[in-house]
Amino acid sequence: MTSAGTPTRAHTTQPLTRAHIVAAGLRLLERHGTAGLSMRKLANELGKAPAAVYRHVSDKRELMTLLFDEVSHQFTIPAPGDNPRNDIIKAVENAHRVMKEHPWTVTLILDGTPPTPHILRLSQFILDTMIRKGMTDTQAAHLHTAIWQYTLGHLLMTQNNKWHQPPHPHPRTKTTPTPNPYPTLQRIAPLINHITHHNHFTTNLATLIDKAFALTP
């Protein structure tokens, strides 16, 4: 912005549409995450005055919902097959891949951003598939919750691969090292990091589903 308050970006005379707003908002999110997105920064990205943006989007909450909807339309739902287990795994694995490519989506979900129609359709598919397998409504509700908690938790942990690493003890002096207070965790942490790698997401998801399905009559 200049001292007079006019946008510094070029092409400010181009008519503004919601599509332009969504594209600019996604650029900001991919570069800076949710903390780097504001209506004023969005206006500057578009080369428009903030008032022009507000004519299309009422506030940041509505903006985030629009951006979330734009990304979540990449969630794909497989055609129901003969194996409900595999149908659920395919659907959840795809959602996991999309959210991993757009890490800010996890933040939005955890912050309580309303679910988009694409997410609702995914949940509907998962629940319908569980019921088709023979689960009761209560069993399906528990497994559906566990799948989402596992998926979101896995994404959070893989965004910071060092989360489980205990602090490495530093010696007080060259001759008197500080005892390691977490010896077991220090030894097993590399295994935890290996297991939580993306390649193991589907394996662990399948284990979760198989154990739940084993309880189904």
Side-chain angles (χ1 to χ4, degrees):
M1 303 287 287
T2 66
S3 59
T6 57
T8 55
R9 287 184 176 270
H11 309 298
T12 58
T13 59
Q14 182 181 10
L16 186 61
T17 66
R18 276 203 168 195
H20 295 143
I21 290 172
V22 168
L26 288 176
R27 290 196 300 271
L28 288 174
L29 279 175
E30 301 302 338
R31 290 202 303 262
H32 308 297
T34 55
L37 179 65
S38 69
M39 298 297 281
R40 184 168 294 277
K41 289 178 180 178
L42 175 64
N44 188 60
E45 177 76 13
L46 289 161
K48 299 288 184 179
V53 177
Y54 279 110
R55 283 196 288 271
H56 293 270
V57 181
S58 60
D59 53 27
K60 183 177 177 180
R61 184 175 180 81
E62 182 183 3
L63 171 64
M64 298 304 288
T65 300
L66 285 174
L67 300 177
F68 195 18
D69 183 67
E70 178 68 17
V71 168
S72 64
H73 86 275
Q74 299 177 41
F75 291 2
T76 59
I77 297 176
D82 297 330
N83 192 323
R85 168 191 181 272
N86 290 345
D87 291 345
I88 295 174
I89 290 174
K90 287 179 183 178
V92 177
E93 187 178 33
N94 170 260
H96 177 272
R97 178 189 58 77
V98 172
M99 289 188 288
K100 186 176 182 181
E101 292 173 355
H102 306 279
W104 52 270
T105 56
V106 179
T107 303
L108 293 192
I109 293 174
L110 297 178
D111 284 347
T113 299
T116 70
H118 308 290
I119 290 181
L120 295 176
R121 281 195 289 272
L122 174 60
S123 285
Q124 175 77 21
F125 172 80
I126 293 172
L127 291 169
D128 281 344
T129 305
M130 293 172 182
I131 300 299
R132 178 162 57 91
K133 174 64 176 176
M135 284 190 161
T136 65
D137 287 359
T138 300
Q139 289 172 325
H142 280 294
L143 181 54
H144 175 271
T145 301
I147 287 173
W148 273 109
Q149 288 176 339
Y150 167 60
T151 301
L152 295 174
H154 182 272
L155 288 164
L156 284 174
M157 294 182 74
T158 52
Q159 285 174 19
N160 182 3
N161 288 329
K162 298 300 182 182
W163 182 85
H164 355 351
Q165 293 285 7
H168 189 74
H170 295 287
R172 297 177 187 272
T173 66
K174 291 184 178 180
T175 57
T176 309
T178 302
N180 183 357
Y182 315 106
T184 305
L185 178 58
Q186 190 78 50
R187 185 180 75 253
I188 297 178
L191 297 176
I192 298 174
N193 276 325
H194 179 68
I195 291 171
T196 54
H197 189 270
H198 174 70
N199 291 339
H200 291 272
F201 172 78
T202 302
T203 301
N204 297 335
L205 175 65
T207 299
L208 174 64
I209 294 173
D210 288 343
K211 288 185 179 299
F213 277 4
L215 301 176
T216 304

